[in-house]
Amino acid sequence: MGAEVWWKKISNASRLSEDVVRSVRNRESVLVSLASAPFAGDFARLTMESLRMTDSVNTLEQIADDSAIPVEDLLFQEYCPPDAASMYFPTPGNSKTDFLAHCDQFMLNTSTAWVMASGNRVTEWVGFIKKYASVCNNDRHAVFVIQVNNDPVQPVGDRNIMYIAASDYISPYDYYVYYMLKTSEISSCSTLKKQYISEILTSFCAEDVVTADFMIGSWLDIVKTPIELYTRHCPEYVPQEELQSRLWRAQMKVLFPEIENARYRIIQKNLVQIQQALPYKAVYGPEINEPFKLDLGNLLGMIKGGQITLPSKDYQEISDLKPIRNSLAHMKPFQYNEKLEKLLS
């Protein structure tokens, strides 16, 4: 299901697929570079499903290019019937490519050929398409989609071939949206906890959606033991210091704003009493005269010093939040316990 979400619901990934479909419907060949894109193996299947729904005229033919023979020989052998092939005689200016472009029985002339190619074959395919397109019948000709999954591919500067690269479409934000969509499917989970999980996945996994999908399958462990869970599923070694830093960055984005919201809410709720107790002189630091400049430690100090008396619920919340806030302020991730669970619930 991850591939379905990625190629159909992530806007930039979906736009890439739609641009391929649009080019094919306009009968333009396409070179698609999916280097570093997730779910590249599912791209052809899902995009061809869209093509079948929008193009009822041209058939679809998949070609797995695992051959070492020249492209024109491959197509001549596989898609030119023997009786038509027997009519071919090589002469100057009449290559197999020329013959195929004008052969009514060449089976791809009314097709879209989706080719899974490796990087070292792309140049030859591009050369064939250029020559084929320059001599073929404008009203009846094959269109080629050359998909390269892992190898880097150079842009093609030719009016007969559109170049589409995943790197021109997909950004880090698309991965964040993907993780948010995946976490939104978790049931019996608070909105804040879903946000926390998606931030951890983004911070830990970045563009590694395979590891992220494994982790989502154990989402409770993402909350409780994210470093251990990531280490189990990640294929590469990451130093412990870096993992701690990734967890801290995720917590800062989710926990710190929530703690600040709670501090503001408690002060607002008890504003009159707190104002009457000011100014407050902390052990270290200047005198505080503004209520909303009081941090959690200041509020606890005022309570313990008898300057203010807050409801027990507010006092307990401040006591629970202070160690989390202190840990984050000192650039250390807060380890999971009941205080963190209460904040996320």
Side-chain angles (χ1 to χ4, degrees):
M1 291 300 292
E4 299 271 345
V5 172
W6 179 261
W7 292 116
K8 292 186 177 182
K9 294 186 178 181
I10 303 302
S11 59
N12 285 328
S14 175
R15 184 165 58 87
L16 187 159
S17 178
E18 289 168 0
D19 284 352
V20 172
V21 171
R22 186 179 301 108
S23 294
V24 172
R25 289 191 64 191
N26 291 335
R27 304 313 289 159
E28 299 170 336
S29 292
V30 189
L31 172 60
V32 187
S33 173
L34 296 182
S36 78
F39 307 113
D42 297 280
F43 177 76
R45 172 178 59 84
L46 294 170
T47 305
M48 282 194 288
E49 285 178 3
S50 298
L51 273 172
R52 289 188 180 96
M53 289 188 292
T54 58
D55 186 353
S56 59
V57 176
N58 300 284
T59 59
L60 269 169
E61 182 72 26
Q62 283 188 273
I63 301 174
D65 181 22
D66 54 3
S67 174
I69 66 174
V71 169
E72 65 175 6
D73 289 343
L74 171 67
L75 298 179
F76 187 84
Q77 293 174 14
E78 296 294 328
Y79 298 100
C80 191
D83 56 337
S86 65
M87 302 296 293
Y88 169 68
F89 297 98
T91 59
N94 185 36
S95 66
K96 286 181 180 176
T97 301
D98 294 302
F99 178 79
L100 293 174
H102 296 103
C103 178
D104 289 338
Q105 292 178 274
F106 178 46
M107 290 183 285
L108 296 184
N109 273 336
T110 54
S111 298
T112 297
W114 197 293
V115 183
M116 305 298 293
S118 58
N120 61 350
R121 289 278 281 178
V122 169
T123 301
E124 189 172 344
W125 273 102
V126 168
F128 169 82
I129 294 169
K130 285 181 178 180
K131 186 174 182 182
Y132 172 86
S134 67
V135 297
C136 70
N137 185 328
N138 290 331
D139 297 323
R140 184 175 180 274
H141 62 87
V143 162
F144 296 88
V145 178
I146 311 301
Q147 178 180 332
V148 185
N149 288 346
N150 300 314
D151 302 319
V153 178
Q154 294 298 317
V156 178
D158 190 271
R159 64 183 180 84
N160 293 312
I161 307 174
M162 183 176 181
Y163 174 72
I164 291 179
S167 58
D168 293 332
Y169 287 75
I170 298 166
S171 70
Y173 180 72
D174 295 302
Y175 292 93
Y176 178 68
V177 173
Y178 173 76
Y179 298 143
M180 289 198 66
L181 284 174
K182 293 291 288 185
T183 55
S184 70
E185 300 171 359
I186 300 173
S187 59
S188 304
C189 183
S190 70
T191 300
L192 185 65
K193 188 176 287 186
K194 291 178 182 180
Q195 182 187 351
Y196 183 64
I197 292 171
S198 64
E199 287 290 355
I200 287 178
L201 292 174
T202 302
S203 185
F204 275 73
C205 302
E207 300 176 5
D208 182 6
V209 297
V210 175
T211 298
D213 278 353
F214 278 125
M215 292 177 68
I216 290 173
S218 305
W219 67 267
L220 281 173
D221 291 332
I222 297 178
V223 177
K224 295 179 179 180
T225 55
I227 291 177
E228 291 81 355
L229 179 65
Y230 177 76
T231 302
R232 282 203 305 274
H233 292 294
C234 179
E236 299 178 356
Y237 169 76
V238 180
Q240 192 66 206
E241 295 79 6
E242 171 60 23
L243 294 176
Q244 293 286 338
S245 178
R246 293 182 190 183
L247 178 57
W248 175 79
R249 291 197 295 269
Q251 290 184 340
M252 279 294 292
K253 290 181 179 179
V254 179
L255 304 183
F256 201 85
E258 196 67 18
I259 292 170
E260 283 299 288
N261 288 338
R263 182 184 69 87
Y264 185 93
R265 172 173 43 78
I266 291 171
I267 292 174
Q268 183 69 54
K269 177 182 174 183
N270 302 278
L271 186 59
V272 173
Q273 183 186 172
I274 291 172
Q275 281 179 323
Q276 292 174 348
L278 294 178
Y280 175 74
K281 175 63 177 174
V283 177
Y284 303 102
E287 189 175 81
I288 300 173
N289 294 286
E290 296 292 331
F292 293 103
K293 290 185 179 180
L294 295 166
D295 64 26
L296 297 176
N298 299 150
L299 292 171
L300 284 175
M302 294 176 76
I303 294 170
K304 292 176 181 178
Q307 293 151 287
I308 58 174
T309 303
L310 300 189
S312 59
K313 181 180 179 181
D314 292 343
Y315 172 74
Q316 187 60 54
E317 187 172 7
I318 293 171
S319 299
D320 288 343
L321 295 178
K322 184 175 180 291
I324 303 176
R325 196 266 181 201
N326 287 351
S327 182
L328 297 179
H330 289 88
M331 300 184 69
K332 295 180 180 179
F334 188 77
Q335 301 306 310
Y336 176 85
N337 62 17
E338 69 280 356
K339 293 182 174 64
L340 179 55
E341 180 60 38
K342 185 187 292 186
L343 176 59
L344 292 172
S345 298

